[in-house]
Amino acid sequence: MSIKLEAVRGMRDLLPGQTAQWGSVERIMRNVAAQYGYAELRTPIVEKTALFERSIGEQTDIVEKEMYSFSTHGGDSLTLRPECTASVVRAGIQHGLFRAGGQRLWYCGPMFRHERPQKGRYRQFQQFGVEAFGWPGPDVDAEILQLAARIWSRLGIVGLELQINTLGSESTRTQFRAALVDYLESRKDALDEDSKRRLQRNPLRVLDSKNPAMQSIIAKAPRILDYLDIAAAAHFSELRARLDTAGINYTVNPLLVRGLDYYTSTVFEWITDQLGAQNAVCAGGRYDQLASELGGGQVPAAGFAIGLDRVMELIPSQQRKALTQVTDAYLVWLGEAARIQAPRLTEILRDAGLAVISHCGAGGLKAQMKKADRSGARYALILGDEELEQELVTVKPLRQDGQQQHLTWSQAATLLQSHRLPVLK
Ligand code: ATP
Ligand code: MG
């Protein structure tokens, strides 16, 4: 029987031309997270289905229709993780991490949701996220937004809009929910099926509706910001002040509620107008009750997830080139002695931390130079038999203007190091 050899719908292979950029972007995110004191946590890709049902919420898009769930031979119901916050909280409780005080964590890896595939929306997609546990105040909310802003600037991404809102305290949400239900009940006939269903069990989610027919009703709905108690209002205004101090622009969007049930207090999204309907590149907020709902005691928490598949589309082409050019030099040899001795030079350069491709196989100068150019390396190093004796090499820039130079091997190493792209350092 022949099978059609192709990847599962909505799931992509990333080929060598793409993985260089992905690797560089992930490295930048890891480095920025480390600059803020965040440490990596790796959790399994599969968790018990009940973990996601209880944390994300039964009435959410993810749990209602997007999860890849299956039963094992042993009869357990398991799910490919649709997001990672629930897994991080589960791991934190299981290993007693929260008892040790504040925890700053990050993760990066594939998530799975059964959605309609389109540009910027896949069934396997990659998220990079941070989660901070143990700090109830707006200082840590602002910290993770500063961290995200630094990631955008390191990647050269401009034009993102940060939208923030607050869902207030428990009592805010109780009062607001009652007012919202009253209002929506009074317009019940105009509600779509999704909204009717959510009205009783999770009315805040009605505000998250993307249905154009619902927008005029949503626009006139009560505003949660009018229901904040003193503590919630103070938290939100300190967050705003901290963002101002950090020079981070934002707009307050009182309709932002986020699609997952566990959010409390601060919520936010970074959005773009460059990706059509897939406009959110990073989303998050506080989830102060999640650990206790999962039986892990009271642990205040804040975090976000960045969608890497969307971020990749937003990187300006100039920066994209820089992120892809990870090879410093391509070594071309001329003559038999140089061919045999080439590894002496390439290993010296690699000892100096440089990335060097050594020409393998046969080929004259022209053919080898063509390969050097195609490799994406920033320099060609040309090693001839006579140069070998004096430990000299010809260094020729491939990606920028400049004369070719005749240098000693150590001078060549110094030159290549000084021309390493900052993104690779
Ligand atoms: P959307 O409204 O676009 O469906 P979401 O609210 O479901 O997003 P979150 O659960 O908050 O998304 O996930 C955080 C980020 O992960 C999103 O802002 C987005 O960048 C990315 N993301 C979510 N779902 C997908 C997907 N199916 N394909 C690619 N990226 C995704
Ligand atoms: Mg979604």
Side-chain angles (χ1 to χ4, degrees), residues 164-181:
I164 61 172
N165 191 24
T166 177
L167 305 177
S169 62
E170 195 68 53
S171 75
T172 302
R173 282 191 299 282
T174 310
Q175 284 180 42
F176 173 66
R177 197 177 290 121
L180 183 64
V181 169

Side-chain angles (χ1 to χ4, degrees), residues 190-418:
L191 298 184
D192 64 11
E193 281 313 306
D194 264 358
S195 302
K196 276 188 191 137
R197 211 155 30 87
R198 292 190 169 136
L199 178 56
Q200 292 312 323
R201 289 180 65 179
N202 194 349
L204 262 66
R205 290 271 295 121
V206 176
L207 300 179
D208 198 38
S209 167
K210 304 278 185 306
N211 181 354
M214 292 290 300
Q215 299 311 310
S216 66
I217 297 180
I218 290 170
K220 294 195 205 84
R223 298 289 161 110
I224 197 159
L225 295 178
D226 297 330
Y227 291 78
L228 299 186
D229 56 32
I230 290 172
H235 186 112
F236 196 51
S237 78
E238 188 184 326
L239 170 62
R240 297 178 57 167
R242 281 181 170 266
L243 293 176
D244 292 339
T245 309
I248 296 174
N249 295 327
Y250 59 86
T251 52
V252 175
N253 175 1
L255 296 176
L256 186 68
V257 292
R258 304 288 303 116
L260 291 76
D261 274 4
Y262 51 62
Y263 285 109
T264 54
S265 183
T266 307
V267 288
F268 57 83
E269 272 183 8
W270 294 86
I271 59 174
T272 171
D273 55 11
Q274 291 172 48
L275 294 177
Q278 278 55 254
N279 69 350
V281 292
C282 170
R286 296 201 67 88
Y287 48 97
D288 294 326
Q289 304 306 324
L290 181 55
S292 85
E293 277 160 21
L294 294 176
Q298 199 61 42
V299 185
F304 66 65
I306 294 175
L308 265 73
D309 302 78
R310 295 183 193 175
V311 162
M312 294 302 157
E313 303 287 329
L314 296 176
I315 296 175
S317 59
Q318 204 46 37
Q319 182 75 355
R320 199 175 285 226
K321 261 193 221 137
L323 292 171
T324 321
Q325 287 170 15
V326 294
T327 306
D328 296 300
Y330 187 104
L331 185 98
V332 167
W333 47 261
L334 293 176
E336 191 53 18
R339 185 174 75 84
I340 301 292
Q341 293 291 318
R344 269 180 50 219
L345 171 56
T346 51
E347 289 306 308
I348 286 172
L349 296 172
R350 291 174 189 138
D351 284 345
L354 296 160
V356 184
I357 299 178
S358 193
H359 182 79
C360 286
L365 176 63
K366 213 169 150 200
Q368 290 192 48
M369 285 303 290
K370 212 166 169 181
K371 291 244 164 69
D373 195 42
R374 282 212 198 122
S375 75
R378 276 171 299 111
Y379 288 87
L381 301 176
I382 306 157
L383 185 65
D385 284 355
E386 315 83 69
E387 288 168 306
L388 197 60
E389 316 228 311
Q390 302 154 62
E391 301 216 326
L392 291 170
V393 65
T394 303
V395 181
K396 182 177 168 28
L398 296 173
R399 314 279 146 206
Q400 67 274 17
D401 296 338
Q403 291 293 316
Q404 72 177 38
Q405 300 181 60
H406 215 50
L407 301 176
T408 65
W409 292 1
S410 73
Q411 284 170 333
T414 308
L415 176 88
L416 295 181
Q417 273 169 332
S418 69

Side-chain angles (χ1 to χ4, degrees), residues 49-120:
T49 303
L51 174 68
F52 300 118
E53 288 171 347
R54 280 177 52 192
S55 56
I56 297 169
E58 309 256 3
Q59 299 290 300
T60 58
D61 285 352
I62 295 178
V63 172
E64 276 179 348
K65 50 191 185 209
E66 295 174 0
M67 293 207 304
Y68 281 90
S69 299
F70 57 96
S71 328
T72 64
H73 290 302
D76 293 328
S77 177
L78 303 182
T79 296
L80 298 185
R81 62 184 186 193
E83 58 111 50
C84 208
T85 301
S87 309
V88 173
V89 174
R90 194 266 311 137
I93 296 171
Q94 182 179 337
H95 301 287
L97 297 185
F98 305 141
R99 286 201 298 271
Q103 289 283 340
R104 291 182 168 91
L105 303 171
W106 65 266
Y107 62 82
C108 184
M111 309 295 155
F112 302 85
R113 296 185 195 175
H114 195 273
E115 309 197 63
R116 194 168 70 77
Q118 51 200 294
K119 193 175 161 72

